[in-house]
Amino acid sequence: MASTLAELEEMQRRAQDAIQQNESGEREITYRDALREAITEEMDRDENVFIMGEDIGAYGGSYVVTRGFQEQYGRKRVIDTPIAELGLVGMAVGASMAGLRPIVELMTINFSLLAIDQIVNHAAKIHYMFDGKFTAPVVIRTASGWGQLGATHSQTYEGWFAHIPGLRVVMPATPKDAKGFLKSAIRGNDPVMFIEHSLIYRNRGLVPAGDYTLPLEGAEVRREGTDITIVSWSRGLYLALGAAEELAEQGISAEVIDMRVLRPLDAETVIESVKKTSRCVIVEESWRTMGLGAEIAAAVQEHAFDYLDAPVGRVGSIEVPMPYARNLERLVIPGKDEVVAAVKQALA
Amino acid sequence: MASKTEPAVRAGETALGSMSKDELLGLYREMVLIRRFEERSAEQYAFGKIGGFLHLYIGEEATGVGAISVLKQQDHLVTHYRDHGYALAIGADPNAIMAELFGRSTGTTGGRGGSMHMIHPQRNFWGGYAIVSGHILIGAGIGMALKYQEIDGVSLVIFGDGATNGGAFFEALNMASLWKLPVIFLCENNEYAMGTAIEYHSAVPKMSTKAEGLGIKSEIVDGQDVLAMREATQRARDYCTAGNGPYFLEAMTYRFRGHSMADPETYREKDEIEEKRATDPIPAYREQLLHAGKAEQADFDKIDEEIEIIVEEAVQFADKSPWPDPSTLEDFVYADEY
Ligand SMILES: Cc1ncc(C[n+]2csc(CCOP(=O)(O)OP(=O)(O)O)c2C)c(N)n1
């Protein structure tokens, strides 16, 4: 049984403290503000950077990332679009090919499915198909998440996009990554799926002041440990860190890895960790079947088979479309207890 | 400011003349039921009894009530997510609707669907859908089934002005027109797609222009006038069932509340909302009936009292209904078992 929302938030807060102690940054700001800074700094730096999406203007964006931007930059650079995801992403792809630097906000990842043809059949193919002569440097920001929103509004699809060569797929968990990745994505020459999470916008973390970028590659060890490796990303990272904290009280030392970039996938960091700990549990919010966890587990068994002392454990959602009822929804999404249980099983 | 379109058709004297007192009061009753039900829903949302999204229909009651009142047993209904009103108008049990909002096992889908996915299978209400404009194709497909099976009915599809910009809208209208399907496309033009006014989301101010371009007969109706809505929908139904193909109704309406309970409402002026409140369809209809001598104040008072009781009972019913049984979580993923 997953925890209540309040418990989850508390857990996230404690997990964040754990992260902060490891870092030496200047200011503590929210994930949302880190995104806002990245966008405004890049818009100030480059006239060709602009943002478009549904209700990003007067409404301020569904998750309030773009509030006030239209007043600041005008309608030319902060563009409210019709509800036409396929159309607006396609327009951004074309604009990006012709020299602009569009940032598209797709309200939630559920609606990215309407745009999937432009993302997969167009943006991801342009550079390769045309022999490297053209690029489509479009940045598509969207949010994963859930919370009694029903079957079509509670989906977790980073794995679908991570399947596609030609796309870069990032899903930052911390404010520092969010800002650094977004700035790199805007400046870079590849199409980027930049996936946020509705339940971590208010998370706080240390973020360097001013300009910095982070390369769109590489997993990160968020907590060192010796007994087991727990792998996750985005909100799942907080679940993993919460579990690691609880396990530590029981004398179990868990290493926690944040994948951060899902394509290209840095399996190497996971493999190195497993060589040290000999055990691994992967935590994801999406369905396990055909998911990212399966890919990571396969990479571990391919490259660290001799080091494994237990099968790779996987924690994911129950394989149903999301029910609305609060009690059922809580059963679907994995919670800290499931992570702890999976770790215990791997150690048994 | 959003553009304003003068309704081409005004309240139908025909309906007023031809309907019985009971029928006329029935429309009033449904509008009041929706209004009170939704006010109580908003309150229950604030108490944390209802979660997720809640899209209120307050201010727009006349459009759904007028249109749905025309539907016969063999007709079909598909709508978007602002759907508690439609569910009530087509006769779903208020207790089950409130229980669904509470996510309880006694809800219209046993707590599985939630606020955006109400259904009423007994009257062919195939559900509210939450992906904007996607369901317009489903409604057109139901029209296809009606024509194929030579059933003398229509498929009524309800959506907002914002939904007319999605690809699914154009694809549905084109095929419905091409294949002369019996579909009534009812666009509730409330001047906003979430927080984006028409002038920022549509290249043309009248949504019906888009239908006309695809060869579909269209009409603009005063959506705040329940009898005008009823008459126009009757015309549309007659047209469709005579084999002429689809019909497009554009109802000019306005929502008095935010898009959903999460809406900060920063995008429209208080004055505009106040001005629009003057078009409230409920008092307008009450005045109309009184003026025409079709009803007395006592009739309205009686209905108002009944509705208070029905809504109170719905809240009580929902509140004491059990949660869905966790053991049913994985039921219904597939329809077949082998
Ligand atoms: C494909 C898709 N994109 C975005 C959304 C988010 N969204 C929900 S309702 C809405 C506005 C719809 O406006 P309109 O069609 O005019 O209907 P109204 O709510 O005004 O009745 C938006 C953008 C969605 N549900 N589906």
Side-chain angles (χ1 to χ4, degrees), chain A residues 215-243:
Chain A
L216 303 181
E217 60 182 21
E220 185 93 350
V221 176
R222 295 288 184 191
R223 178 189 175 116
E224 305 222 2
T226 50
D227 298 332
I228 188 158
T229 302
I230 309 178
V231 181
S232 199
W233 55 92
S234 188
R235 185 185 152 270
L237 172 68
Y238 298 102
L239 223 55
L241 288 168

mmCIF file of all heavy atoms in Angstrom, chain A residues 215-243:
data_model
loop_
_atom_site.group_PDB
_atom_site.id
_atom_site.type_symbol
_atom_site.label_atom_id
_atom_site.label_comp_id
_atom_site.label_asym_id
_atom_site.label_seq_id
_atom_site.Cartn_x
_atom_site.Cartn_y
_atom_site.Cartn_z
ATOM 1 N N PRO A 215 25.610 18.986 -18.991
ATOM 2 C CA PRO A 215 25.492 18.149 -20.179
ATOM 3 C C PRO A 215 24.295 17.201 -20.080
ATOM 4 O O PRO A 215 23.964 16.744 -18.987
ATOM 5 C CB PRO A 215 26.810 17.371 -20.207
ATOM 6 C CG PRO A 215 27.395 17.510 -18.840
ATOM 7 C CD PRO A 215 26.855 18.765 -18.258
ATOM 8 N N LEU A 216 23.649 16.943 -21.226
ATOM 9 C CA LEU A 216 22.466 16.086 -21.219
ATOM 10 C C LEU A 216 22.889 14.626 -21.287
ATOM 11 O O LEU A 216 22.581 13.903 -22.237
ATOM 12 C CB LEU A 216 21.543 16.445 -22.389
ATOM 13 C CG LEU A 216 21.076 17.898 -22.429
ATOM 14 C CD1 LEU A 216 20.145 18.133 -23.616
ATOM 15 C CD2 LEU A 216 20.368 18.277 -21.133
ATOM 16 N N GLU A 217 23.602 14.223 -20.280
ATOM 17 C CA GLU A 217 24.037 12.832 -20.221
ATOM 18 C C GLU A 217 24.452 12.507 -18.797
ATOM 19 O O GLU A 217 24.767 13.394 -18.014
ATOM 20 C CB GLU A 217 25.217 12.593 -21.160
ATOM 21 C CG GLU A 217 26.407 13.460 -20.818
ATOM 22 C CD GLU A 217 27.575 13.261 -21.779
ATOM 23 O OE1 GLU A 217 27.350 12.780 -22.889
ATOM 24 O OE2 GLU A 217 28.701 13.591 -21.378
ATOM 25 N N GLY A 218 24.443 11.210 -18.487
ATOM 26 C CA GLY A 218 25.019 10.779 -17.231
ATOM 27 C C GLY A 218 24.076 10.672 -16.061
ATOM 28 O O GLY A 218 23.365 11.625 -15.732
ATOM 29 N N ALA A 219 24.061 9.491 -15.448
ATOM 30 C CA ALA A 219 23.326 9.293 -14.206
ATOM 31 C C ALA A 219 24.160 9.846 -13.062
ATOM 32 O O ALA A 219 25.345 10.157 -13.240
ATOM 33 C CB ALA A 219 23.050 7.810 -13.996
ATOM 34 N N GLU A 220 23.552 9.975 -11.899
ATOM 35 C CA GLU A 220 24.237 10.593 -10.761
ATOM 36 C C GLU A 220 23.998 9.752 -9.497
ATOM 37 O O GLU A 220 22.871 9.369 -9.225
ATOM 38 C CB GLU A 220 23.641 11.997 -10.577
ATOM 39 C CG GLU A 220 24.304 12.832 -9.539
ATOM 40 C CD GLU A 220 25.404 13.726 -10.116
ATOM 41 O OE1 GLU A 220 25.771 13.554 -11.299
ATOM 42 O OE2 GLU A 220 25.889 14.578 -9.364
ATOM 43 N N VAL A 221 25.070 9.492 -8.776
ATOM 44 C CA VAL A 221 24.901 8.802 -7.489
ATOM 45 C C VAL A 221 24.447 9.847 -6.480
ATOM 46 O O VAL A 221 25.158 10.811 -6.212
ATOM 47 C CB VAL A 221 26.221 8.143 -7.030
ATOM 48 C CG1 VAL A 221 26.047 7.505 -5.649
ATOM 49 C CG2 VAL A 221 26.669 7.090 -8.045
ATOM 50 N N ARG A 222 23.258 9.647 -5.917
ATOM 51 C CA ARG A 222 22.707 10.643 -4.987
ATOM 52 C C ARG A 222 22.975 10.281 -3.539
ATOM 53 O O ARG A 222 22.823 11.120 -2.643
ATOM 54 C CB ARG A 222 21.190 10.764 -5.178
ATOM 55 C CG ARG A 222 20.774 11.287 -6.516
ATOM 56 C CD ARG A 222 21.090 12.768 -6.651
ATOM 57 N NE ARG A 222 20.596 13.301 -7.909
ATOM 58 C CZ ARG A 222 20.899 14.486 -8.385
ATOM 59 N NH1 ARG A 222 21.730 15.269 -7.717
ATOM 60 N NH2 ARG A 222 20.419 14.890 -9.521
ATOM 61 N N ARG A 223 23.302 9.035 -3.310
ATOM 62 C CA ARG A 223 23.600 8.613 -1.941
ATOM 63 C C ARG A 223 24.502 7.394 -2.074
ATOM 64 O O ARG A 223 24.201 6.485 -2.857
ATOM 65 C CB ARG A 223 22.297 8.246 -1.235
ATOM 66 C CG ARG A 223 22.486 7.740 0.187
ATOM 67 C CD ARG A 223 21.170 7.189 0.741
ATOM 68 N NE ARG A 223 21.428 6.609 2.065
ATOM 69 C CZ ARG A 223 20.907 7.076 3.194
ATOM 70 N NH1 ARG A 223 20.072 8.082 3.174
ATOM 71 N NH2 ARG A 223 21.199 6.504 4.350
ATOM 72 N N GLU A 224 25.585 7.388 -1.337
ATOM 73 C CA GLU A 224 26.497 6.260 -1.453
ATOM 74 C C GLU A 224 26.102 5.156 -0.492
ATOM 75 O O GLU A 224 25.563 5.415 0.585
ATOM 76 C CB GLU A 224 27.926 6.736 -1.161
ATOM 77 C CG GLU A 224 28.301 7.894 -2.053
ATOM 78 C CD GLU A 224 29.713 7.802 -2.599
ATOM 79 O OE1 GLU A 224 30.399 6.805 -2.300
ATOM 80 O OE2 GLU A 224 30.109 8.730 -3.325
ATOM 81 N N GLY A 225 26.334 3.925 -0.909
ATOM 82 C CA GLY A 225 25.983 2.791 -0.061
ATOM 83 C C GLY A 225 26.721 1.554 -0.514
ATOM 84 O O GLY A 225 27.351 1.550 -1.583
ATOM 85 N N THR A 226 26.632 0.508 0.265
ATOM 86 C CA THR A 226 27.441 -0.677 -0.034
ATOM 87 C C THR A 226 26.641 -1.959 -0.207
ATOM 88 O O THR A 226 27.121 -2.922 -0.789
ATOM 89 C CB THR A 226 28.453 -0.918 1.113
ATOM 90 O OG1 THR A 226 27.727 -0.882 2.359
ATOM 91 C CG2 THR A 226 29.530 0.150 1.122
ATOM 92 N N ASP A 227 25.386 -1.992 0.300
ATOM 93 C CA ASP A 227 24.651 -3.259 0.311
ATOM 94 C C ASP A 227 23.767 -3.481 -0.908
ATOM 95 O O ASP A 227 23.491 -4.612 -1.294
ATOM 96 C CB ASP A 227 23.758 -3.339 1.564
ATOM 97 C CG ASP A 227 24.580 -3.298 2.838
ATOM 98 O OD1 ASP A 227 25.748 -3.740 2.782
ATOM 99 O OD2 ASP A 227 24.064 -2.817 3.865
ATOM 100 N N ILE A 228 23.265 -2.425 -1.477
ATOM 101 C CA ILE A 228 22.338 -2.558 -2.605
ATOM 102 C C ILE A 228 22.286 -1.248 -3.376
ATOM 103 O O ILE A 228 22.519 -0.172 -2.805
ATOM 104 C CB ILE A 228 20.922 -2.963 -2.114
ATOM 105 C CG1 ILE A 228 20.004 -3.293 -3.309
ATOM 106 C CG2 ILE A 228 20.285 -1.863 -1.242
ATOM 107 C CD1 ILE A 228 18.824 -4.167 -2.956
ATOM 108 N N THR A 229 21.995 -1.358 -4.677
ATOM 109 C CA THR A 229 21.845 -0.169 -5.520
ATOM 110 C C THR A 229 20.363 0.028 -5.829
ATOM 111 O O THR A 229 19.714 -0.890 -6.320
ATOM 112 C CB THR A 229 22.595 -0.370 -6.854
ATOM 113 O OG1 THR A 229 23.968 -0.644 -6.561
ATOM 114 C CG2 THR A 229 22.475 0.850 -7.744
ATOM 115 N N ILE A 230 19.831 1.204 -5.496
ATOM 116 C CA ILE A 230 18.443 1.516 -5.870
ATOM 117 C C ILE A 230 18.499 2.561 -6.980
ATOM 118 O O ILE A 230 19.155 3.594 -6.837
ATOM 119 C CB ILE A 230 17.618 2.065 -4.682
ATOM 120 C CG1 ILE A 230 17.741 1.141 -3.455
ATOM 121 C CG2 ILE A 230 16.154 2.211 -5.079
ATOM 122 C CD1 ILE A 230 16.984 1.666 -2.216
ATOM 123 N N VAL A 231 17.825 2.248 -8.087
ATOM 124 C CA VAL A 231 17.874 3.122 -9.265
ATOM 125 C C VAL A 231 16.505 3.730 -9.496
ATOM 126 O O VAL A 231 15.494 3.019 -9.466
ATOM 127 C CB VAL A 231 18.257 2.304 -10.524
ATOM 128 C CG1 VAL A 231 18.324 3.209 -11.749
ATOM 129 C CG2 VAL A 231 19.573 1.578 -10.309
ATOM 130 N N SER A 232 16.460 5.034 -9.739
ATOM 131 C CA SER A 232 15.192 5.655 -10.103
ATOM 132 C C SER A 232 15.445 6.987 -10.789
ATOM 133 O O SER A 232 16.590 7.308 -11.135
ATOM 134 C CB SER A 232 14.285 5.827 -8.884
ATOM 135 O OG SER A 232 12.960 6.015 -9.313
ATOM 136 N N TRP A 233 14.381 7.764 -10.989
ATOM 137 C CA TRP A 233 14.497 9.082 -11.612
ATOM 138 C C TRP A 233 13.231 9.865 -11.289
ATOM 139 O O TRP A 233 12.234 9.305 -10.859
ATOM 140 C CB TRP A 233 14.688 8.969 -13.133
ATOM 141 C CG TRP A 233 13.627 8.162 -13.823
ATOM 142 C CD1 TRP A 233 12.475 8.621 -14.382
ATOM 143 C CD2 TRP A 233 13.628 6.737 -14.009
ATOM 144 N NE1 TRP A 233 11.752 7.582 -14.913
ATOM 145 C CE2 TRP A 233 12.439 6.416 -14.697
ATOM 146 C CE3 TRP A 233 14.510 5.707 -13.667
ATOM 147 C CZ2 TRP A 233 12.100 5.100 -15.054
ATOM 148 C CZ3 TRP A 233 14.172 4.396 -14.019
ATOM 149 C CH2 TRP A 233 12.994 4.109 -14.700
ATOM 150 N N SER A 234 13.321 11.171 -11.500
ATOM 151 C CA SER A 234 12.190 12.069 -11.245
ATOM 152 C C SER A 234 11.641 11.838 -9.842
ATOM 153 O O SER A 234 12.398 11.658 -8.895
ATOM 154 C CB SER A 234 11.123 11.885 -12.320
ATOM 155 O OG SER A 234 10.118 12.878 -12.194
ATOM 156 N N ARG A 235 10.334 11.820 -9.686
ATOM 157 C CA ARG A 235 9.764 11.679 -8.353
ATOM 158 C C ARG A 235 10.182 10.369 -7.689
ATOM 159 O O ARG A 235 10.274 10.275 -6.465
ATOM 160 C CB ARG A 235 8.243 11.760 -8.423
ATOM 161 C CG ARG A 235 7.614 11.731 -7.056
ATOM 162 C CD ARG A 235 6.107 11.679 -7.087
ATOM 163 N NE ARG A 235 5.638 10.998 -5.881
ATOM 164 C CZ ARG A 235 5.441 9.705 -5.796
ATOM 165 N NH1 ARG A 235 5.614 8.935 -6.849
ATOM 166 N NH2 ARG A 235 5.054 9.169 -4.665
ATOM 167 N N GLY A 236 10.443 9.357 -8.499
ATOM 168 C CA GLY A 236 10.871 8.060 -7.958
ATOM 169 C C GLY A 236 12.148 8.169 -7.141
ATOM 170 O O GLY A 236 12.377 7.388 -6.213
ATOM 171 N N LEU A 237 12.974 9.157 -7.479
ATOM 172 C CA LEU A 237 14.217 9.345 -6.728
ATOM 173 C C LEU A 237 13.916 9.593 -5.251
ATOM 174 O O LEU A 237 14.602 9.087 -4.374
ATOM 175 C CB LEU A 237 15.006 10.529 -7.306
ATOM 176 C CG LEU A 237 16.229 10.943 -6.470
ATOM 177 C CD1 LEU A 237 17.305 9.868 -6.504
ATOM 178 C CD2 LEU A 237 16.778 12.270 -6.957
ATOM 179 N N TYR A 238 12.875 10.396 -4.987
ATOM 180 C CA TYR A 238 12.536 10.727 -3.604
ATOM 181 C C TYR A 238 12.017 9.506 -2.856
ATOM 182 O O TYR A 238 12.246 9.342 -1.658
ATOM 183 C CB TYR A 238 11.543 11.890 -3.576
ATOM 184 C CG TYR A 238 12.154 13.128 -4.182
ATOM 185 C CD1 TYR A 238 11.837 13.524 -5.485
ATOM 186 C CD2 TYR A 238 13.100 13.849 -3.483
ATOM 187 C CE1 TYR A 238 12.435 14.641 -6.052
ATOM 188 C CE2 TYR A 238 13.708 14.969 -4.036
ATOM 189 C CZ TYR A 238 13.366 15.355 -5.327
ATOM 190 O OH TYR A 238 13.973 16.451 -5.877
ATOM 191 N N LEU A 239 11.342 8.661 -3.603
ATOM 192 C CA LEU A 239 10.880 7.393 -3.034
ATOM 193 C C LEU A 239 12.095 6.551 -2.648
ATOM 194 O O LEU A 239 12.170 5.978 -1.561
ATOM 195 C CB LEU A 239 10.087 6.675 -4.125
ATOM 196 C CG LEU A 239 8.781 5.997 -3.798
ATOM 197 C CD1 LEU A 239 7.825 6.957 -3.137
ATOM 198 C CD2 LEU A 239 8.165 5.471 -5.099
ATOM 199 N N ALA A 240 13.057 6.498 -3.557
ATOM 200 C CA ALA A 240 14.258 5.690 -3.337
ATOM 201 C C ALA A 240 15.065 6.236 -2.157
ATOM 202 O O ALA A 240 15.525 5.479 -1.296
ATOM 203 C CB ALA A 240 15.104 5.676 -4.604
ATOM 204 N N LEU A 241 15.184 7.565 -2.101
ATOM 205 C CA LEU A 241 15.954 8.158 -1.004
ATOM 206 C C LEU A 241 15.245 7.964 0.334
ATOM 207 O O LEU A 241 15.883 7.703 1.359
ATOM 208 C CB LEU A 241 16.194 9.645 -1.275
ATOM 209 C CG LEU A 241 17.203 9.951 -2.381
ATOM 210 C CD1 LEU A 241 17.147 11.425 -2.768
ATOM 211 C CD2 LEU A 241 18.622 9.573 -1.957
ATOM 212 N N GLY A 242 13.916 8.063 0.296
ATOM 213 C CA GLY A 242 13.133 7.836 1.517
ATOM 214 C C GLY A 242 13.325 6.404 2.005
ATOM 215 O O GLY A 242 13.503 6.154 3.204
ATOM 216 N N ALA A 243 13.290 5.469 1.067
ATOM 217 C CA ALA A 243 13.474 4.062 1.426
ATOM 218 C C ALA A 243 14.883 3.847 1.969
ATOM 219 O O ALA A 243 15.085 3.140 2.968
ATOM 220 C CB ALA A 243 13.220 3.181 0.207
#
